[in-house]
Amino acid sequence: MKTLAFLLVLIVNTSTLFAQEYALVREDGKFGFIDKTGAYVIDPQFDKADSFSDGLAAALENDFWGFINIKGEWAIKPEYDRVKMFNSGFALALKDDQWRYIDTSGKKLETPSSEKYYDFEEGVALYRSGEKIGLLGTNGKLILEPTYDGIKKFRNGHAKVNNGELWGMIDNTGKVIIPVEYEEIGNTYKEAGVYGKKDGTFGIIHDGSFNPIDNATKVYNFHGDSKLTYASREKKAGFVNSKGEWVLEPTYDKARAFSNGLAPVAVDKKWGYINEKGEMVIEPQFRDAEVFSASGFAPVKDKNWGFIDTSGKVIIPMEYGISGNFAFFKGAEEKGFVNGLARVKSKKGWGFFNEKGELLGDKWFQNAEPFVSVK
């Protein structure tokens, strides 16, 4: 029994360790990091810093950039003129006017020379040769020879690509998932499909077929695991499925994606929420509204932003801002609840609310970034 109890404690402690999340904050002009209790784990001491990625965070000392570990110790000493965030085990770093990829120990990755270097994301980095783009792997070798005029951001292991005016989609092995034959294509691959436009007609690309949508003038990406996405026809919004069928006719002024079985829609300049049957579950009453988080909270706006639950109850009053754009931050536009906390702005600064509507640590900061895993 003692052995079993020890193993249970070990599992809990290990889970807690791997669930560690820190947020980058600024106080009195210096950057530091807090944990989810609101306490500092790395005191504010840096003139500039970035969020953690792959267990390390970029920080500036004496005009040079390096990377610190979760204890605030230098894992890679500050010797670079500029650095990017880690992704897939590598980060771009600039030294002596030369960009190079370094791993989390600071070792340089040997790669073919290029006129321009791109960040790794989802295990690959773009590689340019002349006017064409291919893919570089984390072993420093080409996965895909430069083939396309453009390759956009990878999402869910897929990226849209183009040659000339036509678009398609590949995965991160370079395999063609959707042929380059569409005038427009969505940027997010989902099991339910990807929207596209072919011969002037909008539709859904699903299971290798293009399913036209009757008279659609605009279609949007599927969101989460929803089987419906929103589309426009004659300046009204409705919802379609993977077959391109109008499941909910376009009768709304505006719409956004379904999440937690609810979607924000606008009627006569007021936003409310419908279910997948088209029933109005939360009556139109807001000046603006966003999709629900996975945990069931959505940002809504009167003069400012607040949050409601799926019953429409206000959890956080509409008194705050929910987006920002800071020079050194990546992903600063995330809004709503992320991993159980919502980042908001007040006249006192930036802070975090939990799902009970409580201000984390009862404290505001000059700046604050969303919490990210540090493991």
Side-chain angles (χ1 to χ4, degrees):
M1 289 299 290
K2 287 184 179 180
T3 302
L4 178 60
F6 172 77
L7 288 173
L8 287 173
V9 170
L10 181 63
I11 290 169
V12 170
N13 287 341
T14 302
S15 300
T16 302
L17 178 65
F18 281 94
Q20 275 185 297
E21 293 180 21
Y22 291 175
L24 175 66
V25 298
R26 184 166 64 132
E27 188 171 19
D28 296 329
K30 297 289 186 179
F31 288 91
F33 296 84
I34 60 171
D35 63 17
K36 282 193 152 183
T37 69
Y40 276 108
V41 286
I42 300 174
D43 290 330
Q45 58 192 282
F46 304 105
D47 293 330
K48 295 177 183 177
D50 210 336
S51 293
F52 273 87
S53 55
D54 287 357
L56 299 179
L60 187 72
E61 181 179 79
N62 297 327
D63 294 326
F64 287 99
W65 287 91
F67 290 88
I68 58 172
N69 61 22
I70 60 173
K71 296 179 181 179
E73 304 163 335
W74 289 107
I76 299 174
K77 65 180 181 179
E79 60 181 6
Y80 299 102
D81 299 316
R82 289 177 61 193
V83 294
K84 303 289 192 71
M85 294 178 73
F86 275 94
N87 190 306
S88 310
F90 293 93
L92 277 170
L94 178 68
K95 185 178 181 181
D96 300 327
D97 293 324
Q98 292 289 321
W99 284 101
R100 77 282 313 271
Y101 296 104
I102 58 173
D103 65 16
T104 52
S105 71
K107 182 181 177 183
K108 179 183 176 182
L109 176 69
E110 296 297 333
T111 65
S113 61
S114 179
E115 357 175 315
K116 184 174 181 180
Y117 291 86
Y118 299 83
D119 294 313
F120 273 94
E121 54 184 25
E122 302 198 14
V124 294
L126 304 188
Y127 176 81
R128 176 179 289 278
S129 178
E131 298 299 316
K132 295 292 184 179
I133 296 282
L135 295 177
L136 185 72
T138 53
N139 61 358
K141 300 185 184 301
L142 290 179
I143 291 174
L144 174 68
E145 292 290 335
T147 305
Y148 298 102
D149 292 345
I151 302 177
K152 300 301 182 181
K153 181 178 175 63
F154 275 86
R155 303 168 190 268
N156 301 327
H158 298 75
K160 59 190 286 187
V161 298
N162 74 292
N163 273 324
E165 300 297 319
L166 296 180
W167 294 85
M169 187 166 279
I170 61 172
D171 66 17
N172 56 9
T173 69
K175 179 183 176 183
V176 175
I177 302 301
I178 299 173
V180 180
E181 57 187 34
Y182 294 90
E183 294 142 34
E184 287 185 34
I185 196 170
N187 60 13
T188 305
Y189 179 85
K190 293 288 183 180
E191 185 179 336
V194 180
Y195 80 79
K197 185 180 183 182
K198 192 173 187 179
D199 299 327
T201 299
F202 279 102
I204 302 297
I205 306 160
H206 183 246
D207 283 347
S209 299
F210 177 67
N211 303 316
I213 303 169
D214 183 38
N215 292 322
T217 51
K218 181 67 178 173
V219 190
Y220 297 84
N221 293 313
F222 284 91
H223 178 81
D225 57 2
S226 176
K227 304 303 181 186
L228 300 178
T229 190
Y230 56 112
S232 299
R233 183 180 71 192
E234 296 177 357
K235 298 183 178 180
K236 291 289 186 178
F239 292 84
V240 299
N241 61 18
S242 301
K243 297 178 181 178
E245 302 166 332
W246 288 103
V247 176
L248 298 176
E249 288 292 322
T251 58
Y252 307 102
D253 296 329
K254 294 180 181 179
R256 293 192 175 114
F258 272 100
S259 179
N260 273 279
L262 298 175
V265 295
V267 179
D268 295 330
K269 298 184 179 180
K270 292 290 186 181
W271 287 83
Y273 289 82
I274 59 170
N275 62 21
E276 293 181 352
K277 296 178 181 179
E279 300 165 336
M280 193 67 72
V281 175
I282 301 173
E283 291 298 317
Q285 58 193 281
F286 307 108
R287 287 177 58 191
D288 204 351
E290 294 283 349
V291 300
F292 276 92
S293 66
S295 54
F297 299 90
V300 292
K301 186 178 184 180
D302 187 10
K303 290 183 179 179
N304 288 301
W305 290 90
F307 291 83
I308 59 171
D309 64 17
T310 52
S311 73
K313 179 184 177 182
V314 175
I315 302 300
I316 298 172
M318 289 173 272
E319 300 172 357
Y320 304 100
I322 59 171
S323 62
N325 188 11
F326 309 128
F328 310 105
F329 296 156
K330 194 170 184 178
E333 289 304 320
E334 286 191 69
K335 49 193 175 182
F337 273 89
V338 179
N339 298 330
L341 291 170
R343 184 179 63 119
V344 302
K345 185 180 182 182
S346 74
K347 293 179 180 178
K348 297 178 181 178
W350 288 88
F352 299 91
F353 278 102
N354 63 23
E355 293 173 353
K356 296 179 181 179
E358 301 164 337
L359 179 65
L360 183 66
D362 196 27
K363 190 168 185 179
W364 298 97
F365 303 93
Q366 284 176 290
N367 297 127
E369 268 293 276
F371 279 88
V372 297
S373 172
V374 296
K375 289 291 183 182

